[in-house]
Amino acid sequence: GENVEQHPSTLSVQEGDSAVIKCTYSDSASNYFPWYKQELGKRPQLIIDIRSNVGEKKDQRIAVTLNKTAKHFSLHITETQPEDSAVYFCAASRAGTALIFGKGTTLSVSS
Amino acid sequence: NAGVTQTPKFRILKIGQSMTLQCTQDMNHNYMYWYRQDPGMGLKLIYYSVGAGITDKGEVPNGYNVSRSTTEDFPLRLELAAPSQTSVYFCASSYRLAGEDNEQYFGPGTRLTVT
């Protein structure tokens, strides 16, 4: 089955810096890669996703890139703000299967 | 639209007790999921359902049971609770099964402690 590795487990940045979180997956048939954000004590919420036929997707300050050959994808957050502080989860799945999540990255943005 | 709701919010169980975690969604989603979240371990899929009457095991199904008699409800049953089942449990639903580019909506979670 699918296995998703996520790095780093914790990331601390200064406000205004960029943050990058990386994930690798094992199943070459996986074709859907979402990112979820979970604020402290709250439920996970989708922030951006990408399909395997797309190399990059942007939404304001966040972007996701996908390298199918290397089987890895990354979340990029630019101009970080304190409200970006949260746990971020990557996930992967192939058609017809449920999402498999990485272990999460705790991002801390200090002002 | 209440979205995905879960009850109870908190529960303390003694070893060997049983309980049912309730999950309801009002978005007419066919697909529903149960995850457990342990510190530093991410979200592990316990069971999922593709529609009423159909369920399937996820990554960590041992010690749990599910049923899906209606589109709206997807209860998770713990029989003979063990300390290893101490966790935060999230229910989620989606219109399509992930892999077909669709968002999962999560409930607020149930924090369970087994002592």
Side-chain angles (χ1 to χ4, degrees), chain B residues 45-111:
Chain B
L45 182 66
I46 305 171
Y47 272 96
Y48 67 102
S49 170
V50 302
I54 306 170
T55 62
D56 208 349
K57 295 178 181 179
E59 302 170 271
V60 289
N62 292 343
Y64 307 94
N65 281 298
V66 294
S67 59
R68 184 95 181 271
S69 57
T70 66
T71 299
E72 295 79 18
D73 301 307
F74 190 39
L76 177 71
R77 178 89 178 153
L78 280 72
E79 305 279 4
L80 299 174
S84 61
Q85 293 179 304
T86 294
S87 188
V88 179
Y89 291 84
F90 285 100
C91 178
S93 72
S94 65
Y95 182 65
R96 294 193 182 93
L97 188 63
E100 297 174 359
D101 190 12
N102 202 59
E103 179 176 357
Q104 287 192 12
Y105 294 85
F106 284 81
T110 294
R111 185 175 295 275

